[in-house]
Amino acid sequence: MTVFTEQTRERAREIIARYPADRSRSALLPLLHLVQSEEGYVSPAGVEFCAEVLGLNKAQVGAVATFYTMYKRKPTGDYLVSVCTNTMCNVLGGQEVYDTLAEHLGVGHDETTADGKITLEHAECLAACDYGPVMTVNYDFFDNVDPQGALGVVEELRAGGRPMPTRGARLCTLKEMAVQLAGFADERDGAVADGGPGEPTLRGLRLAEQHGISVPGFDPNTPIRSKAEADKAAAEAKAKAEAKPAPAPEPVKPAAATGSTAPDVKAPDDKSPQVRTAETRQPDAGTAVADAPGTKVPTDTTAPAPRDAQAAESAGVAANPPAGDGKPAGDEAGAQQRNLKEAEAGAGANGAGPAVASETGVQK
Ligand code: FES
C-alpha cells in the first residue's frame, strides 16, 4: 500500500500544473521535496511515486534524486544541522564548530542521533560567507556561531525548544520545510515576517544609497505578503487588466523625408537592465581599456587545417561507445563529414577564408 495520501497526490497535481504541459518533467525537483516531506527522505517509494506521476522511469528520477545533497537517501532527524566547513567559514572556526557538535552528539557526517532529533552534516558553502562561520538548522541561518553557541542551539532543539535563527523565518521541522521547498507557503501566522536581513546583506544597498545609485521603481520597504494577500493582489490585478479597454491604435505619422511610408515608430530600448546599470555606474564603460602590462595578444590568425579537425572528430566519434539506452553517444560521423564538406565549400565560394584543404588534401 502506498505511503502517499490523496492530499500528496493533490499537491503533486498542483505542482505539475505550474509547468507547461510538455515540460512536466521540470516539476521533478519540487516533487522530490514533496515526497521527502512525507517520509523525511526520498525513499524508493518516493522515487516510484515521482516516476509514476511524471511518466518517467525510476532510473531517471533516481539520477536526479542522488545528484542533489538536499534530497536525503536515508531517514533524517527532525532537525538537519548543517555546519559550513568551506574555506571562508573554516578559517573563521567552522571546523571547530563541526567537530564540537560531532563529538557532543556522538554522530558523524550525515548521521542521526539515537533520539531521532538531529541529523548532522558538514556543508560546503551555505552562501552566507559574510556571516561566517555559519550553520543552518533546516536551512534557517545561525550566523557567526562559535562552538558554545552551536551546542546551545542543538541542546535547545533536543529539549523540545525552537531557538530563533539569526535571520529568516522561525524554525520548523525538516518535513515541514520540505513542504515549503516544494513550493507551498508557510501558513503559520506571521511566519514569513520573522527575522530581517542582516547588515552585511544590506551593505550593497547602503553603498548604493550613499552613491546615489538606484533602480527605478525599487521600494526597499516592499512588504513581504502572506499567501492570502498575494493571491488577493493577483486577483485584483487580473480583474483590473481584464476591465481595461484596449488601447486605441497610434495615428500613423506622415512619411519621413526618406520617402518611407512605414509608421514612425521609436526603436525600443532593448538594453538589458544589467547593461543600463553598468552604464549608470561607469558612463564611459564603452571606452577601450588598454591591456594590462605584460599581456600577450596572440597574433597568429591562421586557422587549423579542417582535415586535422575532421580526422580528430571522426576518431573521437568512433571511439565513443553507444550510450546505455542504445542511442549513439556522439553525433553521427557521416553527418559531421557532410557538415565539414559544406563548410569547406562555403569558405571556398566566399573566397574569404584561410587556406582550405580539399578532399584530396591539396591546399587551395
Ligand atoms: S564559506 Fe561558509 S557560507 Fe560560504
Side-chain angles (χ1 to χ4, degrees):
M1 184 182 146
T2 178
V3 293
F4 301 110
T5 62
E6 185 47 40
Q7 188 198 18
T8 315
R9 288 188 175 276
E10 181 54 44
R11 282 183 157 162
R13 284 191 284 272
E14 190 178 332
I15 290 170
I16 294 167
R18 294 175 192 154
Y19 298 87
D22 58 344
R23 297 280 190 276
S24 63
R25 65 167 53 192
S26 300
L28 180 53
L29 297 184
L31 281 171
L32 286 166
H33 284 301
L34 181 69
V35 297
Q36 186 155 272
S37 76
E38 293 287 339
E39 298 187 281
Y41 73 115
V42 179
S43 68
V47 169
E48 194 172 343
F49 176 86
C50 292
E52 178 206 322
V53 296
L54 290 177
L56 300 174
N57 62 46
K58 288 189 277 184
Q60 288 170 313
V61 176
V64 175
T66 53
F67 181 82
Y68 295 103
T69 56
M70 287 176 82
Y71 301 122
K72 302 302 174 193
R73 297 161 71 179
K74 57 187 182 186
T76 45
D78 293 337
Y79 299 101
L80 174 68
V81 175
S82 315
V83 181
C84 180
T85 53
N86 206 355
T87 311
M88 179 65 83
C89 288
N90 212 342
V91 297
L92 294 169
Q95 189 64 49
E96 284 81 38
V97 173
Y98 177 83
D99 291 342
T100 303
L101 289 183
E103 190 179 341
H104 179 77
L105 296 170
V107 295
H109 170 68
D110 208 17
E111 291 178 357
T112 302
T113 53
D115 60 6
K117 290 267 186 196
I118 310 266
T119 297
L120 180 67
E121 68 175 7
H122 71 79
E124 296 305 323
C125 195
L126 292 166
C129 317
D130 40 2
Y131 295 94
V134 293
M135 74 175 201
T136 58
V137 176
N138 296 344
Y139 308 113
D140 276 323
F141 280 98
F142 290 82
D143 300 330
N144 306 120
V145 285
D146 57 20
Q148 285 311 310
L151 280 178
V153 169
V154 296
E155 276 314 294
E156 192 174 340
L157 290 170
R158 293 180 95 181
R162 293 211 178 174
M164 274 303 288
T166 317
R167 292 172 287 133
R170 69 194 72 164
L171 285 187
C172 56
T173 65
L174 188 58
K175 287 182 179 176
E176 290 166 340
M177 179 51 83
V179 175
Q180 293 178 45
L181 291 170
F184 297 93
D186 187 345
E187 298 292 359
R188 291 173 296 171
D189 260 355
V192 292
D194 282 347
E199 201 46 41
T201 303
L202 296 172
R203 181 72 181 129
L205 178 64
R206 302 269 183 263
L207 280 171
E209 285 170 350
Q210 197 180 325
H211 292 279
I213 299 168
S214 65
V215 176
F218 171 67
D219 176 5
N221 298 315
T222 302
I224 299 172
R225 294 176 175 141
S226 68
K227 183 172 186 307
E229 288 167 341
D231 288 348
K232 188 170 168 233
E236 284 171 2
K238 190 174 172 209
K240 204 169 159 188
E242 285 170 358
K244 203 172 166 185
E250 287 273 329
V252 177
K253 292 186 179 173
T258 57
S260 167
T261 54
D264 183 8
V265 180
K266 190 174 182 301
D269 180 0
D270 59 358
K271 283 178 186 167
S272 73
Q274 288 89 341
V275 170
R276 280 203 217 98
T277 305
E279 287 181 351
T280 308
R281 289 181 179 162
Q282 193 180 348
D284 63 346
T287 308
V289 179
D291 290 324
T295 303
K296 287 198 174 66
V297 181
T299 52
D300 179 10
T301 54
T302 309
R307 216 155 62 95
D308 295 345
Q310 186 175 349
E313 284 199 36
S314 298
V317 169
N320 270 342
D325 58 5
K327 292 178 190 161
D331 289 336
E332 190 249 317
Q336 289 185 349
Q337 285 172 353
R338 279 196 299 281
N339 290 342
L340 282 163
K341 275 186 208 162
E342 283 170 19
E344 287 169 17
N350 291 335
V356 176
S358 73
E359 280 287 285
T360 55
V362 177
Q363 297 286 324
K364 291 180 179 173

